[in-house]
Amino acid sequence: MSVKSPGTKSPGAKSPGPGRKTATLGTETIQRGAGGETHQVAGGDVPVLTTQQGIPVADDQNSARIGARGPTLLEDFHFREKIFHFDHERIPERVVHARGYGAHGFFELTESLADVTRADVLQRPGERVPAFVRFSTVAGSKGSSDLARDVRGFAVKLYTHEGNWDIVGNNIPVFFIQDAIKFPDVIHSVKPEPDRDFPQAQSAHDNFWDFVSLSPESIHMALWVMSDRAIPRSLRFMEGFGVHSFRFVNKAGKSTYVKFHWKPKQGLQSVVWNEALKINGADPDFHRRDLWNAIQSGDFPEWELGVQLFDDDFADSFDFDVLDPTKLIPEELVPVRRIGRLVLDRVVDNFFAETEQVAFCTQNIVPGVDFTNDPLLQGRNFSYLDTQLKRLGGPNFTHIPINAPKCPFHNFQQDGHMAMHNPKGRANYEPNSWGGAQGGPREDPARGFTSFPAREAGEKLRERSELFGDHYSQARQFYLSQTETERVHIQQAFTFELSKVETPPIRARVVSHLVNVDIDLATAVAQGLGLEDLPEAAPPARPLVDGLAPSPALSILRNGPDSFKGRKIGILVTDGVDAGLLKAVTDAARAEGTNVELVAPKVGGVTLHDGTLVPAGQKINGGPSVLYDAVVLLPSADGATLLMQEATARDFIADAYAHAKFIGYAEAALPLMERAGVRPADMDDGILKLSTPADATAFIAACRALRFWEREANVHAV
Ligand code: HEM
């Protein structure tokens, strides 16, 4: 670690040390040691490197040894400390949600909820509190790929004036299991199989589908995970849900049930599965890079906080148990009231310190918020604190700045590993008679957290509410709420996943559940798998609720954006590209708030037909079209001929076509397109010729539809 302090500055140390010579490496002037090793030396504003104890270090390139070729000395405390620290850099990754990415921002209340909750943060419109959000995948390890088919964690920490409130949610409003006691089982089943330790970050394997096929309560969530919700285009373009029913409690002590929603201002958008597979290879960091770049460029992602509020009468009349986390409450039945906004406007300074060490917990709630008896929530309330004790190494992880409240806090908890907040004075217990500030903090019956006095009585038993037993009706409702394009994606996803399952009875057992969900879905999957007969429907545990109305809010395509803002276009260019057309496209894109990146044969760039040199963002083999929302093909005639010989250029076009992207092209690109398999007969309304600035503007306007879905029917035969 380097420390800036007057005592460790070494303003005059630029001259070479003994035995060293000055050399120049490109723009860097360095000193070279006897073995040719590079030494960079403090001086001016460059602070002196020190040990953790603050001892200035003279040489960070060579360990101390006897003679130039002799053994290393144990007394070399700098070497020992450096290696010792490196050896202990890793902490256990999260047992689930290991791969994640976080950012800072704020929450601003836009509508007071004082009538239903005493939560301080929900009283005064216009007031802001700091927030930290961590998005994650569930199954993969920390180094896995962003575009795994998986649930995304959406965990929000609000640093309110009355302590930290965590809404530890997902981008899917229901869960696989109804009781937390099954959590280790569902997670074990989806993680790599224990004997072979694969597959990584994938649900497409026997164990997972074996578990699901024997746990019908998972079917509703399985529908969501097989939908495009599980492959979001960006963390910015997805919803978040608190999943469980919580309670709000107002000043009069009245309780109202609440479900939490985060609604992205950017609209919803996902990628297609074949694209996701390729993104994982081309840029495993696709989502984190996207979030980082958006925030760094000032395009701050924003969500509205929505609440569904309901009372006991609604709960009693609802077709399902509001305590069952495998069920949602359709927005059409209980509208989502939008009461605040969450804006992410600052990236982290240090990934480990903030994103890795942040500790969310469902039990972090503030006065005015309370739990319900949802058995999944009750189990979660135990799990987070427990796991974090191990993951973060001791009970004092609340002292880590990212976890510490930003409001004053006082208590008598003390000591333990790495204690950073150590109270002064004599009192470390209460009651005490020291009085005043000496006596330390005291209770506050008026402001303090009090639990809602729900009346509980009953026998001790291990049993579930019978109302939990309908596992298919909402799965069917979800499926029927999708557009035709989305239904086909769900059919394809089930077919893909079950095709990776090696044990035929497991495949058939999953399909037997789908028969209860929708016969067309089950038939399509059975045919996709090549099953000879459609399996019989699995016997439902409880009669299904007929005639649930489709809920348009459940579809992504029905809730897309109305602009192409925040999306990205890849422009394929070569030497000789038409400068006017390139400018027209980039101008039209910028006017929309769309990012552009040039993809060229060489990253150094291309010379436009007017002689201007423009640098490229990607070399063609590192910038496949899966990284962009739409593509534009602007090669010169010679450039198109060159790229016809380049497989990655042909893939650029073929994939953009197959993934139903909007394609803009200059006349000269036609032979290249044909070589890539996009023949004149394949041209459709999603492929637009660009000749004039007006064409460029029209192209960007067309892109607002995000994809030209009608094309998909032409690109899939099996
Ligand atoms: C509605 C169901 C659930 C949702 C929405 C959910 C959500 C999340 C999220 C978003 C995270 C990542 C937090 C972060 O970014 O640091 C997480 C982590 C975790 N979840 Fe859950 N989870 C659910 C169910 C459960 C259940 C039932 C259990 C256990 C009984 C559980 C145990 C854990 C554990 C142990 C972690 C790792 C926490 C850490 O190491 O910091 N989750 N969960």
Side-chain angles (χ1 to χ4, degrees), residues 5-59:
S5 82
T8 55
K9 267 200 189 154
S10 187
K14 278 281 181 191
S15 55
R20 299 185 194 169
K21 294 190 177 113
T22 301
T24 306
L25 296 179
T27 56
E28 294 291 305
T29 302
I30 55 144
Q31 293 182 17
R32 265 203 180 134
E37 78 278 7
T38 298
H39 294 266
Q40 290 181 303
V41 178
D45 281 342
V46 178
V48 174
L49 183 78
T50 74
T51 66
Q52 297 272 26
Q53 306 294 339
I55 317 295
V57 171
D59 184 338

Side-chain angles (χ1 to χ4, degrees), residues 216-237:
E217 68 199 69
S218 305
I219 293 294
H220 184 196
M221 172 95 161
L223 262 286
W224 281 80
V225 176
M226 292 304 108
S227 81
D228 295 342
R229 295 267 177 174
I231 40 173
R233 153 66 179 85
S234 160
L235 303 168
R236 299 178 290 139
F237 305 157

Side-chain angles (χ1 to χ4, degrees), residues 94-97 134-136 153-155 168-170 175 177 180 183 241-244 325 355 358-360 376 379-380 383-384 387-388 391:
R94 288 170 176 81
V95 62
V96 282
H97 295 263
R134 183 176 180 270
F135 303 105
S136 48
F154 194 129
V168 197
N170 280 340
F175 204 63
I177 48 167
F183 193 67
F241 303 92
V243 181
H244 314 280
T355 310
V358 68
F360 297 95
L376 196 71
R380 293 180 74 193
S383 184
Y384 289 79
T387 195
Q388 283 150 5
R391 183 167 73 79

Side-chain angles (χ1 to χ4, degrees), residues 259-263 304-308 336-339:
K259 279 192 183 265
F260 298 107
H261 296 245
W262 297 106
K263 297 278 189 190
E304 285 177 300
L305 174 60
V307 289
Q308 281 181 299
V336 175
R337 243 169 92 180
R338 301 178 187 220
I339 54 121

Side-chain angles (χ1 to χ4, degrees), residues 270-306:
S270 286
V271 300
V272 295
W273 178 234
N274 180 263
E275 189 183 6
L277 288 173
K278 291 173 178 170
I279 292 173
N280 280 337
D283 185 4
D285 305 310
F286 188 68
H287 280 160
R288 51 180 62 193
R289 193 188 304 282
D290 169 272
L291 187 65
W292 175 273
N293 287 344
I295 295 175
Q296 290 291 64
S297 69
D299 184 10
F300 302 140
E302 184 170 333
W303 288 260
E304 285 177 300
L305 174 60

